[in-house]
Amino acid sequence: MATMTAAQKRAQAKAEYDAFLAECPSRKLLDRISDKWVTLILAALGSGGGSPQPGADCAGEPRSMRYSELARRLAGVSQKMLTQTLRSLERDGLVTRTATPTVPVTVSYELTDLGLSLYEMVRGLKTWAETHMGDVLAHRAEYDAAPPDSRVVR
């Protein structure tokens, strides 16, 4: 039996990733990147903060943002959730954290190349959600207004 180098083992494991398998590590990654705060943080960093107007496109250029800028941009995020999410994104190699020794310390976050590649996917998802929210709301209202016995289970 031939031994494999670390690089060969990584290549083999990469070829064997299958998110449909319960033990596949890609499931945890999918769980992380499907979180709304991850999506919104990536969208903010990838569009340079974007426009603060509702429905604004993510058309800006990626740039670093200070923690306080992100907190203002992401309405409704708690300090704890923002901190936890940024740490997990940094751990996964999707963002970099830069601390500048000022008083107080200035901390900024920026997408890595890996994070930028995910941002491209997230931008489309965010745009789809904003574009089709009216349709979804109409379907929800129609569904909720129908008598329960009229909903056919297939």
Side-chain angles (χ1 to χ4, degrees):
M1 177 180 205
T3 58
M4 291 196 292
T5 65
Q8 289 171 323
K9 288 178 184 177
R10 284 192 302 273
Q12 181 181 4
K14 185 176 179 180
E16 295 172 358
Y17 291 148
D18 182 353
F20 289 111
L21 299 175
E23 68 279 353
C24 184
S26 64
R27 277 199 178 191
K28 288 186 183 200
L29 181 59
L30 285 171
D31 185 45
R32 164 124 349 115
I33 64 177
S34 64
D35 177 79
K36 74 177 173 186
W37 295 121
V38 168
T39 300
L40 294 173
I41 288 169
L42 292 174
L45 290 172
S47 63
S51 172
Q53 286 114 9
D57 191 10
C58 291
E61 289 295 313
R63 69 171 178 88
S64 66
M65 291 180 73
R66 293 180 58 186
Y67 180 93
S68 58
E69 288 179 279
L70 281 168
R72 280 191 303 273
R73 183 68 180 115
L74 303 174
V77 68
S78 68
Q79 182 178 353
K80 178 182 177 183
M81 182 55 65
L82 181 56
T83 299
Q84 286 177 344
T85 305
L86 286 166
R87 282 182 184 156
S88 69
L89 291 172
E90 184 181 8
R91 181 175 182 244
D92 289 341
L94 299 172
V95 300
T96 57
R97 177 184 186 271
T98 304
T100 306
T102 57
V103 178
V105 173
T106 303
V107 178
S108 61
Y109 295 88
E110 188 171 11
L111 293 176
T112 62
D113 288 341
L114 186 60
L116 280 168
S117 69
L118 179 57
Y119 162 71
E120 293 302 323
M121 306 281 244
V122 166
R123 181 176 63 180
L125 184 61
K126 178 184 173 286
T127 300
W128 183 93
E130 293 168 343
T131 301
H132 296 286
M133 194 64 229
D135 297 330
V136 170
L137 290 173
H139 284 284
R140 287 179 183 174
E142 182 182 329
Y143 180 90
D144 293 344
D149 59 343
S150 70
R151 298 181 193 133
V152 177
V153 179
R154 297 174 192 181

